[in-house]
Amino acid sequence: MRTKDTTLFQMPGHLIRRLQQISNQVFLNHMEEAGFDLTSVQFATLQALHSNPGIEQAQVAAMIAYDRATIGGVIDRLEQKGYVSRVVSSRDRRAREVSLTREGQRIFEAVRPLIEQLQTDILEGLDDTERQQFSRLAQKVIDKRLSKLGGNRKKGP
């Protein structure tokens, strides 16, 4: 039976939310199968630090589009795992500079190929051309929203 409410489930906001749930589940499944205890946000943090060693914690949050209040907990967990280290910034004693440890670099290098492989699983059912088109359209929406907010688009991990 089809009702008016059924169309709510076809709206972009709902579909984006569902796809995010699927993306997270695919990510976690792949990590678990490979024996890694890592979330997608933790990996994004590792990637940001790999590309920008010694950046401040607030910069990590901006780079991966994560809120500053929550990134501290993400970095705490990575620090507990031995993947990152934090030191007081020499430029601003209120800030913390974050870097990958040797173990963090090793984990990042080990996980990176898995991340590349699981992208196809996230968009299962789409061929290569459709996946590229999806990515272009999603980036176009993101860029437009960021330009409306007055933010400079940073290429994140």
Side-chain angles (χ1 to χ4, degrees):
M1 172 170 87
R2 185 173 168 92
T3 67
K4 284 195 299 187
D5 289 343
T6 304
T7 59
L8 293 174
F9 297 116
Q10 297 166 346
M11 290 183 174
H14 175 75
L15 295 173
I16 291 166
R17 183 183 66 78
R18 288 290 295 130
L19 190 55
Q20 173 64 21
Q21 290 172 326
I22 290 166
S23 174
N24 280 333
Q25 194 58 54
V26 167
F27 184 96
L28 291 173
N29 288 346
H30 277 263
M31 290 301 105
E32 186 177 310
E33 288 170 11
F36 294 104
D37 176 25
L38 204 62
T39 67
S40 59
V41 173
Q42 289 172 346
F43 176 76
T45 301
L46 294 180
Q47 186 169 9
L49 296 173
H50 171 77
S51 301
N52 305 278
I55 64 173
E56 291 180 5
Q57 194 166 296
Q59 292 173 296
V60 174
M63 188 170 286
I64 67 170
Y66 214 65
D67 63 280
R68 289 174 67 165
T70 310
I71 196 67
V74 172
I75 293 174
D76 285 344
R77 287 183 285 288
L78 290 171
E79 194 172 33
Q80 289 167 2
K81 293 176 183 184
Y83 299 167
V84 303
S85 63
R86 277 188 280 205
V87 297
V88 174
S89 171
S90 58
R91 294 180 303 275
D92 180 353
R93 300 205 44 82
R94 297 168 295 173
R96 301 289 177 263
E97 294 174 355
V98 189
S99 297
L100 290 179
T101 61
R102 282 194 178 122
E103 179 64 5
Q105 183 65 37
R106 185 189 73 74
I107 292 295
F108 174 78
E109 294 298 336
V111 169
R112 189 185 344 200
L114 296 172
I115 302 300
E116 292 170 6
Q117 292 169 5
L118 68 82
Q119 300 308 304
T120 302
D121 289 351
I122 291 170
L123 296 176
E124 188 174 17
L126 300 182
D127 62 31
D128 286 341
T129 301
E130 291 168 326
R131 281 193 297 275
Q132 290 173 4
Q133 182 180 20
F134 173 87
S135 294
R136 275 193 310 274
L137 292 172
Q139 191 63 64
K140 185 176 181 178
V141 170
I142 291 166
D143 290 346
K144 181 65 174 180
R145 294 306 299 173
L146 289 176
S147 72
K148 279 185 166 184
L149 295 171
N152 294 329
R153 181 178 166 271
K154 276 194 171 181
K155 292 244 183 214

